[in-house]
Amino acid sequence: MSVTGYAFAWDFIDDPEALARTRKLDVDVVALAASYHATRVVNTYHPTRRVTDVPYSAFYGTRRDDAWRGHRLTPRAPAWLGRDDAFASSARRLTREGFDVDAWIVLTHLDDPDDPDDPDDTYLELVERNAYDEPYPYALCPGSEDVREYCLTLVEETLRSANVRGVVLEASGPMGFDHAGVHDKSEFAALSVAQRQLLSLCFCAACRKSQRECGLDPDEIAAKVRTGIDEDASSPEAALGNELADQVAKFRLTLGTALREAIIERVRVVQPEATITLHASARRWATGSFPALSAQPWSRSINAVVANAWESASAEDELRAMASVVDGRAKVGAYLRLDRDWSGDGNDETLRRYVRAGVTELHLYHLGLLTRVSARAAASVVESFREIAP
C-alpha cells in the first residue's frame, strides 16, 4: 500500500512551503515530471508564480548534447523557466526530506509548435496520421524507429539526471485523437466514442509499412475507417468487421508493447533496481496517457500499473478490468483527480469499492494544482485509504 503524489519539476522551485504542504498530505512517493507537454496551470499556493503558461514540450532534466547527437527528435530546454536544473534540484530537495522520488516521463505526447531546429516541420513525418492522412502534431507514433529512439534516450537521460527510485511512464503507446493541446473545438462535431476510436487509428508511413508486413492492407482499413466515421458505426468492430478489427487491435497493441519492452530493457541497463510504473488501460482501443495494455506478453519488471479513475462513472470498471489484466503480477494504482467527487461524503465507501476492485496504491493528481478545498480532500482521502487498504 502506498500513495504517490504527482508534481511538476517547477512546483518546488521558489516556494519554501511546498515541501511542508507535501508532507502534510502524507504521500510516500512524489512522481516528479522530468518531461512535460505544453500547458497552462494555476498554482494556488505558489508565492510568485500564479498563472504558468508553458508554451511547448520540454525536458526538465540535464540535457547532454552528446546523448542527442544524430537524433531526428530532440527535446527542448525550458527557456521559459530560466533554468535547466528544475528536475534535479527538486528531486534532491524531496530526497533530503525523506520522500521517494519517481521520474514521471511523458513519452509520445510532444507538442513543438515553433522549434527553430525544425523550421520545415519535418518531425510531422513521425507523428500519427488518421485515415484521412491528416497529422496529429502532438502525437508521436511509436511505430517509428526515430520515435522509439527518442523515448529510450529520454528515459535514459532522465535517470542520469537525478537519483530517483524509479520511473512512471505516461503515454507509452499511441496517443490517438484526443488529448490535443490546441484550443480544441472538436466538441462541436458531437463525435461518438466509436468515431473517436476510429479517428485514433494511425496510418503514418511507418504504420502502413508495418501493417503490410503483418499481411494487412492499410488502404482497405483506412477506407473502412472513413466509412465507419461517416456512417457513425457503433464500434470499431462494426466498422471493420470482427476479424479485421481483431487483427488491427492486435497490431496496435504491439506498438505500445514493443516500446514498453524496449524502455524496460533500457531502464534495467541504466538503473537495474529502478521501479517501473505504467499508466495504462485494459480497454483494447485505449490511447493517450493511458494506452492499451494486455495480459500477454507480461514483463516481470513492471512493479505497478495505474488506471485512470478521474471519472467516477467509469472508474470502478476501469480499475476492475486492470486488476484482471495484472492478475496479481504487479500493484494496481487508482489515479485520482481530487477536484472531482472527493470533497463530500461517501469517500470511504468509494475507496472500499476501489480496494475490492484490486487497488493497492493511490496516485494523486496533482500536488502543485491543489486548492484549499482539494488539498483538504486529498488529506482526507489519504487518511481513509490507509485505514481501509489491506
Side-chain angles (χ1 to χ4, degrees):
M1 181 192 73
S2 70
V3 178
T4 296
Y6 287 66
F8 295 132
W10 61 86
D11 284 339
F12 299 93
I13 303 295
D14 302 324
D15 184 353
E17 303 300 323
L19 286 170
R21 291 196 304 273
T22 302
R23 184 169 300 285
K24 189 175 180 180
L25 292 174
D26 195 26
V27 301
D28 304 297
V29 183
V30 174
L32 194 65
S35 64
Y36 208 75
H37 48 79
T39 186
R40 184 172 71 157
V41 298
V42 177
N43 299 100
T44 304
Y45 288 103
H46 200 284
T48 59
R49 188 181 300 113
R50 189 51 54 99
V51 180
T52 303
D53 213 327
V54 181
Y56 49 79
S57 293
F59 176 50
Y60 295 89
T62 303
R63 182 188 169 102
R64 299 186 308 141
D65 289 340
D66 286 349
W68 295 99
R69 188 165 290 116
H71 284 240
R72 287 190 66 186
L73 285 171
T74 59
R76 298 177 69 177
W80 67 271
L81 189 57
R83 58 191 297 167
D84 58 6
D85 66 341
F87 175 71
S89 176
S90 294
R92 284 194 300 269
R93 292 185 65 194
L94 287 159
T95 301
R96 283 198 301 265
E97 290 295 318
F99 293 102
D100 284 331
V101 177
D102 284 346
W104 174 21
I105 308 172
V106 180
L107 293 164
T108 60
H109 185 176
L110 180 73
D111 36 39
D112 228 356
D114 298 306
D115 186 354
D117 296 326
D118 189 16
D120 299 323
D121 287 341
T122 57
Y123 84 98
L124 291 178
E125 298 172 8
L126 308 179
V127 303
E128 295 177 36
R129 288 180 175 268
N130 62 26
Y132 301 91
D133 197 32
E134 298 162 323
Y136 295 156
Y138 56 87
L140 298 178
C141 181
S144 165
E145 183 62 32
D146 289 302
V147 170
R148 289 192 290 270
E149 282 303 311
Y150 163 82
C151 293
L152 289 171
T153 306
L154 187 65
V155 170
E156 179 172 348
E157 291 303 289
T158 295
L159 290 174
R160 296 188 186 283
S161 293
N163 183 23
V164 295
R165 184 192 72 153
V167 296
V168 177
L169 305 178
E170 178 180 323
S172 62
M175 279 300 300
F177 172 74
D178 291 312
H179 219 116
V182 297
H183 194 176
D184 194 357
K185 300 292 186 181
S186 63
E187 63 184 283
F188 289 94
L191 296 170
S192 67
V193 171
Q195 286 173 319
R196 289 176 178 272
Q197 290 170 334
L198 291 169
L199 282 169
S200 295
L201 296 177
C202 182
F203 297 90
C204 72
C207 281
R208 284 177 169 271
K209 179 176 182 291
S210 296
Q211 287 170 12
R212 292 190 184 96
E213 291 172 350
C214 292
L216 298 172
D217 183 344
D219 293 326
E220 176 194 357
I221 298 169
K224 288 180 179 291
V225 167
R226 292 192 296 269
T227 300
I229 293 170
D230 290 342
E231 297 181 354
D232 195 10
S234 59
S235 66
E237 290 79 5
L240 301 175
N242 287 331
E243 182 178 354
L244 182 57
D246 287 344
Q247 292 174 309
V248 172
K250 182 178 179 180
F251 165 76
R252 269 265 302 260
L253 190 61
T254 62
L255 298 180
T257 300
L259 176 61
R260 287 186 288 268
E261 287 179 344
I263 288 173
I264 289 169
E265 183 178 347
R266 185 67 60 91
V267 169
R268 289 289 164 255
V269 170
V270 179
Q271 188 175 324
E273 72 282 5
T275 59
I276 296 174
T277 301
L278 301 179
H279 285 196
S281 171
R283 295 178 293 110
R284 75 169 179 170
W285 299 109
T287 56
S289 300
F290 298 82
L293 179 71
S294 70
Q296 298 295 336
W298 186 267
S299 171
R300 288 180 294 176
S301 293
I302 299 172
N303 299 96
V305 180
V306 181
N308 191 343
W310 280 17
E311 301 295 341
S312 58
S314 59
E316 191 172 354
D317 288 341
E318 286 277 353
L319 295 168
R320 198 176 300 281
M322 182 52 68
S324 178
V325 168
V326 171
D327 194 23
R329 294 171 293 189
K331 298 176 182 178
V332 175
Y335 203 38
L336 308 184
R337 179 171 164 169
L338 279 308
D339 63 329
R340 295 183 181 177
D341 306 315
W342 294 101
S343 59
D345 297 330
N347 289 350
D348 286 3
E349 179 53 34
T350 300
L351 290 170
R352 287 191 184 94
R353 288 191 286 106
Y354 288 2
V355 169
R356 288 196 295 268
V359 168
T360 56
E361 295 187 352
L362 289 188
H363 289 246
L364 309 181
Y365 190 91
H366 180 296
L367 300 183
L369 305 182
L370 294 176
T371 65
R372 286 169 176 79
V373 172
S374 55
R376 287 195 296 270
S380 173
V381 166
V382 172
E383 181 180 9
S384 295
F385 180 69
R386 294 198 186 283
E387 295 175 354
I388 293 168

